Amino acid sequence: MSEARPRIGWWPGSLRSRLFLILFAGLAIAYGLSFSILFAERYMSAKAVMLGTLESDLATSIAVIDRLPANERADWVDRLSRGNYRLVLGPGLPGVSDMSGRGAEIAERIEEAAGHKFPLKVESIPGDGKRLQAHLTLSDGAPLTIDVTPRGVMPLAEWLPYVFAAQMALLLICTWFAVRLAIRPLSALAAAADTLDPAKKGEPMSERGPSEVAHAARAFNAMRDRIAHYLEERVQILAAISHDLQTPITRMRLRADMADDSPERDKLVNDLREIERLVQDGIAYARSSHGSGEKNSRIDLSSFIDSIAYDYQDTGKAVTVLGVVQGTASTKPHALRRILTNFIDNALKFAGSAEIAVERSGEGEVVVTVLDRGPGIPDDMLESAMQPFFRVETSRNRETGGTGLGLAIAQQLAGTIGGSVRLYNRMDGGLAAEVRFR
């Protein structure tokens, strides 16, 4: 049997969260890559335009300054300067010639602009960001400095972050809607499986929707019908077996009763009684899974519980009611009585006495508990004790006369009244059997 893989700490546990994470992450990464590619393409285009413009403007400016008389150049340097470079008459500031990347590209464009006609040296000004100065000598020997301060090649619009945020929000909403649309049929199928009760003629699961969803719904409805058919066949088979066994059992008991008194006769009668009880309990268990067709009716809890206790007290059994029972409840009286009598019979068998307590929970449920002072059941066997034909061998053996179906019948009958049963060991010893219903 393969071992279960440990779940990664950051990986969500639900399918809805996993699908959402995968789809949203994939779409966000794809959108980010597309945005990055467009941004890079725009950056390279703007950079090429900027460098080309810088080269043509500088070539024009250098040519004009070189042709002007020396006494008129000072009046023209400001006119020929641009936003990303400034012309300065003089040697400029000292710098370093070690440049790389974008500085080297700008230096190359300045050299192209000078047309290789003038002695030129491009240097980077230390401690002043990306500022460059190109030092050249004009035709008459006068020094000229080109002070270059490169600007960003592609300024971002102020509205662009808001558009990006809106696009991500739209992507988030669309991903959530897609996941919700994909998971909804699974949720509907899980809800239908949780409420599956072949014994009741409920509404079938809707078969509308995409072809895959409709196919799954049809398969689920067909499975429910097959289960109901199999359960009905089981009841019919058990009913037929009961009918066929009752006759030979009755004949055998009559013959045993007519026989002479002897230890063997008593043993035979006891065996026949055990067989008959086992058959009757088996039929009761099969029928309890389908309900008895009993209708709900309103009962007075005090009178109902007292009547059960009095029936046992009339036969000399130690069954008492704890506290004062008040209020009414709408339930199936015969099913509830069978549940409580099964609990009480178990308590009497293994403890010799039983106590009945009734209370209302905060959720408006009625809780009826049968308490005893018997040996209880090991905690690791409490759940198994509700299974049919299960017995805890150390205390619940055939000498007590049980068949192991009482608690299983009680559990199935509790389902027919819309309730549940629970077993737990009492803190000070003994077992508590609880039925809870609205």
Side-chain angles (χ1 to χ4, degrees):
M1 187 173 181
S2 61
E3 297 182 358
R5 295 182 179 178
R7 189 167 75 88
I8 302 175
W10 57 267
W11 189 242
S14 67
L15 180 60
R16 182 190 301 271
S17 301
R18 292 182 179 184
L19 284 177
F20 180 83
L21 182 62
I22 292 172
L23 288 177
F24 182 75
L27 291 174
I29 291 173
Y31 178 77
L33 288 175
S34 300
F35 184 83
S36 301
I37 292 172
L38 291 175
F39 185 87
E41 191 276 335
R42 183 181 175 188
Y43 175 85
M44 290 185 291
S45 299
K47 178 180 175 181
V49 171
M50 186 273 291
L51 292 176
T53 303
L54 177 65
E55 180 181 348
S56 61
D57 287 350
L58 273 177
T60 303
S61 299
I62 293 172
V64 171
I65 290 293
D66 185 61
R67 287 174 172 77
L68 286 172
N71 58 350
E72 296 181 9
R73 290 173 181 171
D75 297 333
W76 282 87
V77 290
D78 289 337
R79 299 178 187 178
L80 296 174
S81 297
R82 296 291 182 265
N84 55 353
Y85 69 87
R86 185 169 58 90
L87 299 179
V88 180
L89 296 175
L93 300 175
V96 295
S97 59
D98 184 15
M99 288 178 293
S100 61
R102 188 177 176 189
E105 291 180 343
I106 295 176
E108 183 180 354
R109 292 304 178 112
I110 294 175
E111 292 176 355
E112 295 291 336
H116 304 287
K117 297 179 181 180
F118 308 100
L120 178 68
K121 182 172 69 173
V122 182
E123 296 178 334
S124 174
I125 305 302
D128 202 1
K130 299 179 180 179
R131 184 180 177 189
L132 303 175
Q133 282 194 350
H135 309 285
L136 56 87
T137 303
L138 298 175
S139 300
D140 59 358
L144 177 66
T145 299
I146 305 172
D147 194 337
V148 181
T149 306
R151 294 181 177 180
V153 297
M154 190 179 61
L156 292 177
E158 295 181 356
W159 48 265
L160 188 60
Y162 299 101
V163 173
F164 182 78
Q167 289 174 332
M168 294 303 294
L170 181 62
L171 182 63
L172 184 70
I173 294 173
C174 292
T175 303
W176 173 83
F177 182 76
V179 171
R180 181 174 178 268
L181 195 63
I183 295 299
R184 183 187 297 175
L186 288 179
S187 301
L189 183 61
D194 287 338
T195 58
L196 177 63
D197 188 355
K200 297 180 180 179
K201 297 297 183 182
E203 291 294 328
M205 185 177 177
S206 174
E207 298 180 2
R208 293 178 298 177
S211 58
E212 296 84 358
V213 175
H215 179 71
R218 285 193 297 270
F220 180 83
N221 291 333
M223 179 191 68
R224 188 184 67 168
D225 293 340
R226 286 195 300 270
I227 293 175
H229 178 68
Y230 294 153
L231 291 177
E232 185 65 28
E233 283 186 346
R234 184 182 69 171
V235 172
Q236 293 176 358
I237 291 172
L238 288 176
I241 292 174
S242 174
H243 179 271
D244 293 341
L245 287 178
Q246 289 293 341
T247 301
I249 290 174
T250 302
R251 288 200 302 264
M252 294 172 68
R253 289 192 60 181
L254 287 174
R255 292 170 182 171
D257 291 337
M258 295 174 61
D260 297 334
D261 291 338
S262 65
E264 287 73 14
R265 172 186 174 276
D266 295 336
K267 293 179 181 179
L268 178 60
V269 172
N270 290 334
D271 289 341
L272 290 173
R273 288 175 180 171
E274 184 175 348
I275 294 173
E276 187 174 16
R277 183 167 54 251
L278 182 61
V279 170
Q280 292 174 351
D281 286 348
I283 296 298
Y285 172 73
R287 290 176 176 171
S288 66
S289 63
H290 289 271
S292 59
E294 183 183 2
K295 302 295 183 181
N296 277 17
S297 60
R298 183 163 295 277
I299 60 173
D300 180 76
L301 288 173
S302 177
S303 301
F304 182 80
I305 299 299
D306 286 341
S307 68
I308 295 176
Y310 292 156
D311 289 343
Y312 281 96
Q313 292 171 5
D314 290 343
T315 60
K317 303 295 178 59
V319 177
T320 58
V321 180
L322 299 179
V324 178
V325 181
Q326 296 178 340
T328 61
S330 179
T331 185
K332 298 178 180 180
H334 294 296
L336 180 60
R337 179 180 292 270
R338 179 61 185 270
I339 295 171
L340 295 178
T341 55
N342 283 3
F343 288 165
I344 295 172
D345 288 343
N346 278 346
L348 294 175
K349 290 174 186 176
F350 311 121
S353 63
E355 297 173 332
I356 308 175
V358 182
E359 61 181 2
R360 289 187 180 272
S361 67
E363 294 79 15
E365 294 179 323
V366 178
V367 182
V368 184
T369 308
V370 176
L371 310 165
D372 66 44
R373 293 293 180 182
I377 298 176
D379 290 338
D380 58 345
M381 295 185 179
L382 286 173
E383 185 175 352
S384 300
M386 305 301 297
Q387 301 301 318
F389 302 106
F390 179 85
R391 272 189 289 245
V392 181
E393 294 299 333
T394 56
S395 61
R396 281 149 162 72
N397 50 43
R398 290 191 179 276
E399 294 180 359
T400 63
T403 60
L405 287 173
L407 294 177
I409 293 173
Q411 184 180 41
Q412 293 200 137
L413 287 175
T416 65
I417 65 174
S420 61
V421 298
R422 182 170 73 100
L423 299 179
Y424 60 92
N425 289 303
R426 304 174 67 182
M427 295 295 295
D428 50 353
L431 185 70
E434 170 189 290
V435 58
R436 180 184 296 259
F437 61 95
R438 289 190 176 274

